[in-house]
Amino acid sequence: MTSNTLCGWTIVFDLDGTLVDTAPDLHLALNHCLREAGHGEVPFDSVRHMIGQGAKAMIEKGLAFQNVELEADQIDALWRSFLTYYEANICEQSTPFSGMNETLDALEQAGGRLAVCTNKTQALAETLIAALQLTDRFGSICGADAVPHKKPSGDHIVQAVKRAGGDPHRAIMVGDSQTDEKAARNAGLPFVFVTFGYGPQPDPRDESIYRISSYGQLEQAVLSIVTA
């Protein structure tokens, strides 16, 4: 791509499972809060499929995995335990996906704006991104509690674009789940699905979705969208 190919375009990224492999640290935090409350642990392979709708939803899925039902106040207590542990250990094992930094460099050099739209809380998203020294890359970081309605609401993505100084009519969403895909559709944006994330994946028969299996393929997907 040339230096101005993406001028006026904003590329919006999901965080967990898209930019960063956070599953190892989320797994530790989930099992910590479950153990502390006297419940069993969830195996790592199962945790990957529980990520994407926020910490409380992940806890509820972890309990359902063990056929445990709790009242709302008990889940809230687990959630507070999770957040305390996770905030203190947010970047022990989390790492950017291979090729991510190089691809973000290329998108920026082509004139693109970059933003993050995540169902993590704002504070946790900012803490993780700062720990990975990525803060300066993004024009906005828009967490779940920074907007009235989180993904799959399309407005969540629109707000991320606007806060980055971008135009919602010239934006692309990149994510790893049906939640991201639905949010992109609700915002009226093209969607790039990363198959290396946590899922669940959108309908594989849907030819309107761009699919990539590595960051090395993202530049071409974005170029295909902006030149269509």
Side-chain angles (χ1 to χ4, degrees):
M1 286 188 286
T2 63
S3 60
N4 62 356
T5 302
L6 298 181
C7 185
W9 283 85
T10 305
I11 318 302
V12 185
F13 293 85
D14 172 54
L15 182 53
D16 298 88
T18 300
L19 287 171
V20 182
D21 185 5
T22 54
D25 288 323
L26 289 169
H27 177 236
L28 292 173
L30 175 62
N31 281 340
H32 168 81
C33 75
L34 291 174
R35 279 197 314 271
E36 193 173 60
H39 304 294
E41 296 186 355
V42 173
F44 179 72
D45 288 345
S46 297
V47 164
R48 293 178 62 87
H49 305 297
M50 298 178 183
I51 300 168
Q53 295 177 305
K56 191 171 290 188
M58 184 168 63
I59 292 167
E60 290 171 347
K61 291 174 184 177
L63 292 168
F65 177 83
Q66 303 178 70
N67 297 313
V68 175
E69 294 186 13
L70 298 180
E71 299 296 328
D73 60 333
Q74 294 173 300
I75 292 175
D76 285 343
L78 284 172
W79 179 61
R80 289 190 293 272
S81 171
F82 174 96
L83 292 180
T84 298
Y85 179 91
Y86 186 57
E87 186 172 14
N89 301 276
I90 196 168
C91 200
E92 294 296 316
Q93 299 182 30
S94 295
T95 57
F97 284 103
S98 177
M100 183 272 284
N101 276 301
E102 294 81 358
T103 299
L104 295 190
D105 283 341
L107 295 174
E108 287 184 295
Q109 289 165 8
R113 300 174 187 266
L114 306 179
V116 173
C117 178
T118 175
N119 278 345
K120 250 184 171 54
T121 64
Q122 186 70 22
L124 290 177
E126 290 179 356
T127 299
L128 174 61
I129 290 170
L132 294 169
Q133 300 182 334
L134 297 172
T135 303
D136 292 344
R137 285 195 174 278
F138 302 106
S140 72
I141 299 167
C142 200
D145 54 343
V147 291
H149 304 288
K150 67 179 183 178
K151 295 181 296 184
S153 168
D155 185 61
H156 194 176
I157 302 177
V158 169
Q159 290 301 318
V161 174
K162 288 182 175 179
R163 294 176 191 188
D167 179 355
H169 298 292
R170 302 187 77 191
I172 299 166
M173 180 66 196
V174 182
D176 72 316
S177 70
Q178 290 177 359
T179 300
D180 296 318
E181 182 251 338
K182 290 175 183 176
R185 288 192 185 281
N186 290 335
L189 302 184
F191 178 62
V192 179
F193 174 67
V194 300
T195 62
F196 50 79
Y198 305 146
Q201 70 170 316
D203 186 344
R205 298 167 297 180
D206 189 340
E207 296 182 355
S208 70
I209 296 173
Y210 294 79
R211 291 174 168 83
I212 63 171
S213 59
S214 72
Y215 265 100
Q217 299 172 344
L218 183 57
E219 286 182 68
Q220 184 56 50
V222 169
L223 185 61
S224 297
I225 291 169
V226 302
T227 58

